[in-house]
Amino acid sequence: MSKTTGDKSKPPPPSSVSRATPLSQFLLLAFIFFIVVLYFIDFSWYLSRVVQNHEHNDTNQNISAPEKRREKLPFAIGEGNNGCDLFSGRWIRDYDRPLYEEWECPYLEPQTTCLEHGRPEKDYQFWRWQPDGCSIPSFNATLMLEGLRGKRMMFVGDSLNRGQFTSLLCLLQRIIPEHARSMENSGSLTVFTAKDYNATIEFYWAPFLVESNADNPLKHRVSDRIIRNGSVHKHGQHWTGADILVFNSYIWWISGLRILLQGSFEDEVKEIADITREDAYHIAMKSLVKWIDTNVDPEKTRVFFMSMSPTHQRSYKWGGDQYGNCYNETSMIEDPTFFGAKKSLMQVITEELSKSTVPITLINITQLSSPRKDAHTSIYKKQWVPLTEKQLADPQSYADCIHWCLPGIQDIWNELLFSKLFYP
């Protein structure tokens, strides 16, 4: 509410009252006028609180993410479109895209450079997400870097979160001179530094968020996936002090899971039990929320969680070939109800994150990304092991329908993240 000048509670001079009016009548009128003004001020204050609470409740009912509101969130420079759901909309053609070219970003990994690895067309790059009731603010690299001045931004999760981390570096690096930026790797941690801004953007490998037998960033291809109960602090100690935290964890939960109940992975005798995907996910999300509530100062740090990145490994799920997948797909799925991830895990996310006492903003990328069967790396990526003759004869058999080409859809995810960071 804007401030007004002047003393509104001071009554005007009683010009209508004659000097001949008895003093007692004058005092009585003054007293009545004072009570009216006092009552009006008190009622105005009460009315403003009712209106504010009503608006707050209405806004919360329209929030799709389990984010608790604060008067002023860190990094916010303006307000978003009130009541507009950024995650409900449509894909529209935009030939001003991509926002950068594949060849000009030195931080792209061979897992994402589809054109370099022979993809014959780049139609997947010319799409922009358009929410139904508003527009996403244009990504502003200068504003992003100024907001990060003297700060740490950290992505925590799996290779899909690493892809989003890489996408952000590509969106920013064009305005940073080569001598003023650097990249260092140390175990699970990768750190990009924008030297002139004294800012770092970091990625920390933790595919389950809690400790697991897949925590080695170079040797994590395990079929028997095991998480350790109550172990988020092993990784969490490396997240402490970050000013912006962006978490994700999904694709590693899809196959069978077991849980280490007692002891460590180094013990000869381990107490391990089978566990359902949903129960295991509950454990991890509860542990994450507990860590956030204990270690994050909501006055200085923003916390985000990226929802599940959809996969397109079975064409029959969207009405396609019974044995097909994303290989050779160059158009989107037309069915608006198709959901390319486990809905049960989305329910776990919204349920557990909403219990946090620290605001956590859910970036709901799942539904808007689900039509994009055209945007995966498919066969157009570096193959980490030599392909067999049988695979070469059937490219569909080794198509990667999990990861995404860059530039591409993960740039959109970062535009949504940018919007929620600066215009919440």
Side-chain angles (χ1 to χ4, degrees), residues 29 57 78 114 122 125 200 207 226 300 347 362 367 394 398:
L29 289 172
N57 292 335
C114 298
K122 55 186 300 186
Q125 295 183 353
T200 62
I226 305 172
K300 68 180 290 288
Q347 293 171 351
L362 178 65
Q367 188 66 58
D394 181 17
Y398 64 91

Side-chain angles (χ1 to χ4, degrees), residues 64-163:
S64 59
E67 178 184 6
K68 294 180 176 64
R69 294 295 180 132
R70 294 291 187 270
E71 288 296 321
K72 177 71 164 60
L73 290 171
F75 299 95
I77 64 171
E79 295 182 1
N81 295 275
N82 243 352
C84 176
D85 182 2
L86 292 184
F87 313 117
S88 177
R90 64 195 187 281
W91 290 98
I92 63 174
R93 285 281 190 179
D94 186 348
Y95 289 104
D96 288 332
R97 292 179 178 263
L99 301 180
Y100 59 90
E101 296 292 344
E102 181 182 298
W103 55 265
E104 67 178 331
C105 183
Y107 305 108
L108 288 177
E109 297 179 323
Q111 191 178 25
T112 62
T113 50
C114 298
L115 299 182
E116 179 184 345
H117 288 89
R119 180 157 179 161
E121 46 75 39
K122 55 186 300 186
D123 190 64
Y124 63 94
Q125 295 183 353
F126 303 127
W127 294 95
R128 173 169 57 85
W129 178 249
Q130 176 59 56
D132 288 332
C134 56
S135 295
I136 302 172
S138 298
F139 185 86
N140 187 320
T142 301
L143 173 58
M144 187 78 190
L145 286 168
E146 285 295 342
L148 290 174
R149 185 178 291 276
K151 303 290 194 300
R152 289 177 63 206
M153 180 178 189
M154 177 177 281
F155 290 80
V156 178
D158 56 29
S159 57
L160 289 159
N161 215 21
R162 184 172 57 208

Side-chain angles (χ1 to χ4, degrees), residues 200-221:
T200 62
I201 303 172
E202 308 172 22
F203 170 74
Y204 185 89
W205 171 264
F208 290 98
L209 301 179
V210 295
E211 184 182 359
S212 75
N213 63 342
D215 286 343
N216 188 320
L218 301 178
K219 297 179 181 179
H220 51 252
R221 293 177 179 267

Side-chain angles (χ1 to χ4, degrees), residues 25 65 95 118 197 277 289 294 308 314 324 338 361 385 390 411:
Q25 293 182 10
Y95 289 104
Y197 296 88
R277 177 192 302 122
V289 167
T294 304
M308 300 94 74
R314 301 287 185 270
F338 175 75
T361 304
V385 295
K390 183 178 181 180
D411 303 319

Side-chain angles (χ1 to χ4, degrees), residues 319-340:
D321 181 75
Q322 182 178 358
Y323 303 104
N325 56 25
C326 71
Y327 174 65
N328 265 353
E329 293 285 1
T330 57
S331 62
M332 297 187 205
I333 296 171
E334 296 182 0
D335 181 1
T337 65
F338 175 75
F339 194 81

